[in-house]
């Protein structure tokens, strides 16, 4: 395993590798384009490179660090989930969701997670290691290749129209800025539109590699996806949130709140003992002041635990002050009925309790959406990608 992992390299690092091989400077640009624009996963495909260079790349470098262990599709064909094996044998999950005009990939940033949230399957197993930038980017490229290859069966057209009435809800959420614009063409349908960093792991605990991956993904000379089409979800690490506010890349921030007070939040998310709500919210206020961007709060509704009306009032009071200087609301709450995991006793809230919780938030001036859970038939037994499927695909 001494091969250079090509996807781990920045463009300058790639240029350095190739110039060390005696190649002219423009080769790095060519290889970069093959990797990220033409989605090559084999140097043999890089037909404008000299044969000798292709042979050397094949012998001394590796492109795709992901080996598919299984691919699973939901019965409605909207959702495809992959389990990948990494070069050291660890496994991670990636999910592709296709609804309406969005094709969203949900990617992992760590193998496991150290945060130990009690309702999360990934959290129960602990952290194995951070993913490399290449392993993060590779998940996006893999999904993009599969989309482009056309060998994923199209979701049934009838199911698409069922979502039309949700257009206004979607338009109100910053993660999906391209919602509702015209009909997709065949070429569009083969393209990824959104990325959510909501797979296994805590992205802000693997900050540098996650951002290197996002820079490559958004590089116009590479994959070229707009930063506003990317959402990073965090358990709420204040330093990471402040760092995000300074990033030139305008990716969306989602904060996994799940409880409006420290007593409850510390029970559910042990990290809250280290970074209590006041500290977390101070960082979010700084983020909003700096960026003027709306923050999404994720709230997994658990029956009888965090779904009581008084908690909705408490949550509204906590989030209401998140406003722009002009008075615009700069928060949105995603209410996601919990996806129960085998290791935990928590159960999803009943639909009536979810609706009541949402109504209280809305009446208090805090926009909130209850997300439908979808692709549930392939979610059973998966780390915790299951819930994102609900959240993302409303
Ligand atoms: N570590 C980051 C991103 C990955 S988890 C974070 O916690 O935000 C992505 C989202 O899934 C988080 O909002 C997390 O709270 C939520 N989640 C985890 N397990 C869940 C479950 N069983 N049901 C619903 N949401 C869950
Ligand atoms: Fe980690 Fe997020 Fe799961 Fe918490 S919810 S254990 S932070 S992956």
């Amino acid at each position: 395993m001494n091969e250079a992992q090509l996807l781990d390299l920045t463009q300058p690092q790639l240029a350095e590798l190739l110039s060390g091989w005696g190649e002219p400077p423009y080769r790095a640009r060519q290889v970069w384009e093959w990797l990220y624009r033409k989605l090559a996963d084999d140097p043999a495909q890089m037909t404008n490179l000299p044969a000798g260079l292709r042979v050397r790349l094949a012998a001394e470098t590796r492109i795709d660090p992901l080996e598919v262990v299984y691919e699973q599709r939901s019965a409605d064909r909207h959702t495809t989930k992959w389990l990948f094996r990494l070069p050291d044998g660890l496994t991670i999950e990636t999910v592709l969701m296709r609804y309406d005009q969005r094709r969203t990939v949900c990617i992992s940033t760590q193998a496991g997670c150290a945060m130990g949230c009690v309702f999360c399957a990934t959290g129960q197993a602990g952290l194995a290691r951070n993913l490399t930038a290449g392993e993060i980017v590779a998940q996006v490229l893999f999904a993009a290749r599969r989309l482009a290859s056309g060998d994923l069966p199209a979701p049934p057209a009838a199911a698409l129209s069922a979502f039309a009435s949700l257009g206004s809800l979607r338009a109100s959420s910053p993660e999906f800025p391209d919602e509702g614009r015209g009909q997709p063409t065949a070429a569009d349908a083969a393209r990824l539109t959104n990325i959510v960093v909501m797979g296994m792991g805590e992205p802000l605990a693997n900050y540098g590699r996650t951002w290197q991956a996002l820079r490559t993904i958004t590089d116009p000379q590479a994959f070229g996806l707009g930063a506003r089409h990317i959402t990073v979800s965090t358990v709420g690490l204040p330093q990471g949130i402040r760092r995000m506010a300074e990033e030139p890349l305008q990716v969306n921030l989602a904060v996994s709140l799940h409880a409006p007070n420290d007593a409850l939040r510390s029970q559910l998310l042990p990290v809250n003992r280290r970074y209590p709500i006041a500290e977390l919210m101070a960082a979010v206020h700084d983020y909003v002041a700096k960026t003027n961007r709306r923050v999404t709060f994720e709230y997994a509704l658990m029956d009888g635990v965090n779904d009581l009306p008084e908690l909705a009032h408490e949550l509204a009071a906590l989030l209401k002050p998140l406003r722009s200087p002009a008075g615009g609301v700069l928060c949105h709450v995603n209410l996601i009925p919990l996806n129960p995991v085998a290791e935990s006793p928590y159960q999803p809230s009943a639909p009536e309790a979810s609706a009541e919780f949402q109504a209280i938030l809305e009446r208090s001036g805090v926009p909130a959406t209850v997300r439908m859970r979808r692709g549930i038939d392939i979610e059973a037994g998966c780390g915790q990608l299951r819930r994102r499927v609900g959240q993302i695909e409303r």
Side-chain angles (χ1 to χ4, degrees):
M1 260 232 352
N2 296 334
E3 311 144 312
Q5 303 288 323
L6 285 189
L7 302 184
D8 278 341
L9 305 180
T10 60
Q11 201 185 7
Q13 288 168 335
L14 178 65
E16 197 182 311
L17 175 80
L18 295 180
S19 80
W21 290 2
E23 294 292 335
Y26 60 86
R27 290 283 183 236
R29 170 74 69 88
Q30 287 178 314
V31 174
W32 192 253
E33 283 191 356
W34 277 110
L35 294 174
Y36 299 110
R37 293 198 74 82
K38 300 177 196 159
L39 306 178
D41 58 1
D42 182 343
Q45 297 158 357
M46 304 183 181
T47 45
N48 59 355
L49 302 186
L53 177 56
R54 278 183 264 156
V55 168
R56 186 159 187 194
L57 283 169
E60 298 182 31
T61 71
R62 176 168 178 167
I63 297 178
D64 193 351
L66 306 177
E67 181 197 332
V68 184
V69 181
Y70 71 68
E71 172 175 305
Q72 214 175 358
R73 292 178 193 157
S74 63
D76 67 7
R77 293 183 291 185
H78 288 281
T79 305
T80 308
K81 182 177 74 171
W82 295 286
L83 183 73
F84 294 117
R85 188 177 292 110
L86 304 174
D88 61 1
L90 293 168
T91 53
I92 56 163
E93 295 172 10
T94 303
V95 177
L96 173 67
M97 293 155 281
R98 293 178 295 160
Y99 279 98
D100 295 351
Q101 291 146 65
R102 283 197 315 276
R103 283 144 320 265
T104 303
V105 66
C106 174
I107 59 174
S108 298
T109 52
Q110 298 182 309
C113 182
M115 301 298 154
C117 303
V118 297
F119 48 83
C120 169
T122 301
Q124 307 319 302
L127 175 67
R129 70 167 169 86
N130 284 327
L131 300 191
T132 67
E135 288 165 343
I136 298 169
V137 170
Q139 297 168 64
V140 175
L141 298 180
F142 184 93
R145 274 187 216 113
R146 289 303 305 272
L147 269 174
S149 73
D151 67 355
L152 291 172
L160 299 181
S161 59
F163 292 88
S165 60
L166 295 173
S168 60
L169 295 181
R170 288 194 203 98
S172 72
S173 187
E175 293 101 293
F176 309 108
D178 58 349
E179 201 60 52
R181 281 190 209 144
Q183 290 302 307
T185 64
D188 283 347
R191 214 172 32 83
L192 271 183
T193 60
N194 295 76
I195 295 175
V196 289
V197 186
M198 295 187 179
M200 298 169 82
E202 168 50 42
L204 302 189
N206 186 17
Y207 195 100
R209 296 181 187 88
T210 298
W211 246 262
Q212 185 189 324
L214 295 181
R215 278 192 289 269
T216 301
I217 289 162
T218 51
D219 176 358
Q221 290 170 11
F223 194 70
L225 187 75
R228 287 163 186 275
H229 296 230
I230 299 175
T231 298
V232 170
S233 174
T234 175
V235 73
L237 305 182
Q239 309 92 312
I241 290 171
R242 290 203 168 85
R243 209 169 152 188
M244 261 184 88
E246 304 293 330
E247 293 288 344
L249 281 184
Q250 312 222 324
V251 304
N252 301 298
L253 168 65
V255 175
S256 300
L257 196 57
H258 305 311
N261 62 58
D262 284 327
L264 182 56
R265 193 165 191 266
S266 292
Q267 269 177 38
L268 300 173
L269 295 82
V271 71
N272 192 72
R273 292 176 204 142
R274 184 131 167 243
Y275 303 113
I277 290 177
E279 232 177 283
L280 165 59
M281 290 306 293
V284 172
H285 275 275
D286 287 352
Y287 175 93
V288 163
K290 172 100 195 165
T291 63
N292 206 34
R293 291 205 297 272
R294 180 161 50 169
V295 176
T296 299
F297 291 89
E298 295 165 276
Y299 199 103
L301 287 164
M302 302 172 219
D303 185 33
V305 175
N306 66 353
D307 64 350
L308 311 175
E310 57 264 35
L311 295 175
H313 287 291
E314 206 177 341
L315 181 62
L318 184 69
L319 301 185
K320 244 163 90 169
L322 286 169
R323 291 182 176 269
S324 70
V329 182
L330 289 179
C331 66
H332 186 97
V333 180
N334 280 343
L335 299 166
I336 311 125
L338 183 85
N339 285 294
V341 308
E343 302 84 353
S344 105
Y346 300 100
Q347 292 299 316
S349 300
E352 306 75 47
S354 307
E356 170 66 3
F357 201 94
Q358 178 197 19
I360 293 171
L361 290 174
E362 291 274 356
R363 280 201 301 271
S364 313
V366 171
T369 312
V370 180
R371 307 300 186 197
M372 293 181 283
R373 289 188 284 153
R374 309 225 154 251
I376 208 82
D377 56 322
I378 66 162
E379 294 314 303
C382 95
Q384 43 74 269
L385 288 169
R386 60 175 62 123
R387 126 284 81 109
R388 234 130 298 151
V389 172
Q391 175 202 6
I392 308 318
E393 308 203 340
R394 350 254 169 125

